[in-house]
Amino acid sequence: MLDCKREFHDSEEGVRTAMPENDTTAPGADATPGSSATPGAGAATPAVTREALAQAALRVLEREGLAGLSMRKVAAEVGVKAASLYWHVRNKQELLDLLNDAIMGSAEPPPREGGWREQFHAYCWRYRRLLLDNRDAAKVVAGRLAPGPNLLGLMEDQLDRLRAAGLSDADAAMASYLLGAFVQGFVLQEQSPISAAEVLGGSRREIAVAAGDLFRALPAEDFPNLVDLADDLTAPDMDARFEFCVQRILDGLAALLPPDRR
Amino acid sequence: MLDCKREFHDSEEGVRTAMPENDTTAPGADATPGSSATPGAGAATPAVTREALAQAALRVLEREGLAGLSMRKVAAEVGVKAASLYWHVRNKQELLDLLNDAIMGSAEPPPREGGWREQFHAYCWRYRRLLLDNRDAAKVVAGRLAPGPNLLGLMEDQLDRLRAAGLSDADAAMASYLLGAFVQGFVLQEQSPISAAEVLGGSRREIAVAAGDLFRALPAEDFPNLVDLADDLTAPDMDARFEFCVQRILDGLAALLPPDRR
DNA sequence: CATGGCTGCCTAACACTGTTAGGGGTTGGT
DNA sequence: ACCAACCCCTAACAGTGTTAGGCAGCCATG
């Protein structure tokens, strides 16, 4: 009776994250967590829903970054004290799961035109763009697989195209996984600061130059290739680098198809 | 005078992380904590070096995971109080950089035999194995590019082979980057818990089954592909999945080479 | 030998974090 | 009017990274 509240906030557990459950990003006063369905609902103005929490977390993330995203700040963002969040959310990790899918919410699949190669290409770029545009999105997404309604929708669409391209079921599933893993890894690397050069809080280009100097300053007898390739290794054009990688993966996938379908 | 200590702990800044500086993996039993080090020992016996710190951090990481790795615990591991660490290290991030390269220290490049494809293949697998064998290594490595002596050595060797395979300078640099980004992303995904299934603290296989059930339970009219490919999407054999991805990348790289060098 | 400066550690403290216990209103249903 | 559920609150706990300032030994110099 004491902690009956922690028991369950809504009807089912496993299905909730899976069900699309019409998520209107609209600030409508409806759609309290899941309890709206349960008869005998009490409160008049919920004021804070799981949707609202996710959006608030998104704003805090944009403003303060992942390291600065605390329960107290998210609570303040929705006009509430920290402890109250635990009514709607089991712990911070669950809030991050909501945030996770909220980030995916702003993604939209590329137009369904052109060959599979163009479409897969566009998918990679859009996903990267999504991760780059939302602050610390890569860190939030990485290390947590939160199959919320938004992510599920994207996967569904993606798989549909891969199968239409002629990939087998297993290959389509693998390819989808490959895309996700690679893009996440790439953006994570791309955004990761270089330890040696962090002292100078310079721009991306400046620290690339600094990294180049670092490589060039190595003893040439021990690291001939690093010294030699310093420029190539620290080329600051990340778009070109990404494009290269994507093309490699596309070529690799193309090799799975019969020659007439590439 | 007050904080003169924070000025510099050692000679040069930028070069330190770059120089190999013979790293002994610490001679056995001495490093054990306890108050034995404190009495009578002055400045003569340092008792805690950056190397020792890195090794201690590695042990704490193995025992408690990244989330449980705190300055106080690492300090206790070397028999010292937390504040003392800031004499040797600027902040926690710098300790993590040391840890980063310490993890890389246990990597050894694959034998230099077979074609470039076998060697690149082995590189991918060894890197993944390294990240899997050291607890939370993927999380430590991701989001931080710490070009310590160990990582530099690996890059050097890797680039050497890629160039020997016939890749252009730019392509070799890109390919090396691709390898790192992909493997990190893959292992990160591989190890990331699934939000919906975390309640059951089951094994990898169990949560894969649970994820499969989750996909199968989706409304078939909205997610026909997810329902259909549930088995393929949740196939628990991560080795096979990794192998697939690596082969795609290898194929993609092979397309860069003239047909006679593939 | 004495003096100071440097090294390496210490204790205390600050502002913060996630999380829990328990209490108090407001609401709707009976 | 009562009850139960809902939603939020205050207070507190243990733990975090980090800094200020102090204190004991070692070095080299006067």
Side-chain angles (χ1 to χ4, degrees):
Chain A
M1 188 176 201
L2 294 174
D3 49 355
C4 58
K5 59 180 183 179
R6 186 148 295 92
E7 220 55 69
F8 273 119
H9 309 142
D10 39 15
S11 47
E12 275 105 10
E13 177 55 27
V15 195
R16 168 166 42 80
T17 48
M19 291 298 287
E21 65 172 287
N22 56 353
D23 57 319
T24 54
T25 322
D30 55 350
T32 48
S35 55
S36 61
T38 62
T45 56
V48 40
T49 53
R50 294 177 125 246
E51 286 298 327
L53 265 187
Q55 294 304 319
L58 207 51
R59 288 193 297 272
V60 175
L61 183 72
E62 206 68 28
R63 198 188 322 130
E64 320 248 12
L66 180 57
L69 186 140
S70 72
M71 295 299 258
R72 284 171 171 85
K73 284 181 192 151
V74 173
E77 182 74 20
V78 293
V80 149
K81 297 308 173 64
S84 305
L85 296 191
Y86 290 84
W87 176 257
H88 306 272
V89 152
R90 208 181 304 268
N91 48 29
K92 187 182 182 180
Q93 190 55 251
E94 191 171 311
L95 201 169
L96 289 179
D97 289 339
L98 292 179
L99 178 58
N100 212 317
D101 203 60
I103 290 175
M104 288 300 176
S106 66
E108 45 183 346
R112 224 182 171 91
E113 55 193 24
W116 70 271
R117 198 170 169 118
E118 284 80 5
Q119 294 189 30
F120 195 87
H121 181 266
Y123 246 114
C124 290
W125 274 90
R126 291 206 175 202
Y127 189 26
R128 171 160 174 264
R129 186 49 54 193
L130 176 80
L131 294 181
L132 287 179
D133 286 347
N134 296 72
R135 181 170 174 185
D136 279 349
K139 283 182 187 164
V140 174
V141 167
R144 191 74 184 177
L145 196 52
N150 293 317
L151 177 58
L152 287 175
L154 284 174
M155 290 177 64
E156 169 67 22
D157 175 69
Q158 203 173 94
L159 289 172
D160 194 57
R161 303 193 200 199
L162 289 171
R163 296 174 90 185
L167 287 177
S168 74
D169 289 1
D171 287 352
M174 296 279 204
S176 173
Y177 192 86
L178 171 56
L179 187 159
F182 161 68
V183 177
Q184 279 184 32
F186 187 95
V187 176
L188 227 46
Q189 285 247 34
E190 173 180 17
Q191 292 187 323
S192 67
I194 301 177
S195 63
E198 81 164 347
V199 184
L200 2 148
S203 70
R204 186 96 218 145
R205 202 158 224 102
E206 295 177 48
I207 74 173
V209 172
D213 292 342
L214 189 146
F215 283 139
R216 264 182 296 272
L218 291 174
E221 61 271 22
D222 293 329
F223 303 96
N225 291 288
L226 287 179
V227 174
D228 203 17
L229 300 187
D231 288 333
D232 293 306
L233 287 168
T234 61
D237 188 348
M238 286 298 161
D239 285 1
R241 218 180 274 213
F242 186 71
E243 178 65 17
F244 173 89
C245 296
V246 170
Q247 289 299 339
R248 283 328 113 230
I249 292 176
L250 285 171
D251 285 346
L253 289 175
L256 289 175
L257 296 172
D260 57 316
R261 303 198 67 162
R262 293 181 187 153
Chain B
M1 184 179 190
L2 293 174
D3 49 356
C4 58
K5 58 180 185 180
R6 187 147 295 94
E7 222 54 69
F8 273 120
H9 308 143
D10 40 12
S11 49
E12 276 105 9
E13 178 57 26
V15 196
R16 169 165 41 81
T17 48
M19 292 299 288
E21 67 175 279
N22 57 351
D23 57 319
T24 57
T25 322
D30 55 352
T32 331
S35 54
S36 63
T38 315
T45 55
V48 39
T49 53
R50 295 176 125 247
E51 284 300 325
L53 266 187
Q55 294 302 319
L58 207 50
R59 288 194 297 271
V60 174
L61 183 71
E62 205 68 28
R63 198 188 323 130
E64 320 247 12
L66 180 57
L69 186 139
S70 70
M71 295 298 260
R72 284 170 171 86
K73 285 183 192 148
V74 173
E77 183 75 19
V78 293
V80 146
K81 296 309 173 65
S84 305
L85 296 191
Y86 289 85
W87 176 257
H88 307 271
V89 150
R90 209 181 304 270
N91 48 30
K92 187 182 181 180
Q93 191 55 252
E94 191 172 311
L95 201 169
L96 289 179
D97 289 339
L98 292 178
L99 177 58
N100 213 317
D101 203 60
I103 289 175
M104 287 300 176
S106 65
E108 46 184 344
R112 222 180 172 89
E113 56 191 26
W116 70 271
R117 198 170 168 119
E118 284 80 5
Q119 294 189 31
F120 196 87
H121 181 266
Y123 245 114
C124 290
W125 273 91
R126 290 207 177 199
Y127 189 26
R128 170 161 174 263
R129 186 49 54 194
L130 176 81
L131 294 181
L132 288 179
D133 286 347
N134 296 73
R135 180 169 174 186
D136 279 349
K139 283 182 188 165
V140 174
V141 168
R144 192 75 182 174
L145 195 53
N150 293 318
L151 177 58
L152 288 175
L154 285 175
M155 288 177 64
E156 170 66 23
D157 175 69
Q158 204 173 94
L159 289 172
D160 194 56
R161 305 194 200 198
L162 289 171
R163 294 173 92 184
L167 287 177
S168 74
D169 289 2
D171 287 351
M174 297 280 204
S176 174
Y177 192 85
L178 171 55
L179 186 158
F182 162 67
V183 177
Q184 279 184 31
F186 187 94
V187 176
L188 227 46
Q189 285 246 33
E190 173 180 16
Q191 292 186 324
S192 67
I194 300 179
S195 64
E198 80 164 347
V199 183
L200 2 148
S203 71
R204 186 98 217 144
R205 202 160 224 98
E206 295 177 48
I207 74 173
V209 172
D213 292 342
L214 188 147
F215 283 139
R216 265 182 294 272
L218 290 175
E221 61 271 20
D222 292 329
F223 303 95
N225 292 288
L226 287 178
V227 174
D228 203 18
L229 299 187
D231 288 333
D232 293 305
L233 287 169
T234 61
D237 188 349
M238 286 298 161
D239 285 1
R241 221 181 273 213
F242 186 70
E243 178 65 17
F244 172 89
C245 295
V246 170
Q247 290 298 339
R248 284 327 114 232
I249 292 177
L250 286 171
D251 286 346
L253 289 175
L256 289 176
L257 296 172
D260 57 318
R261 302 199 69 161
R262 292 182 189 151

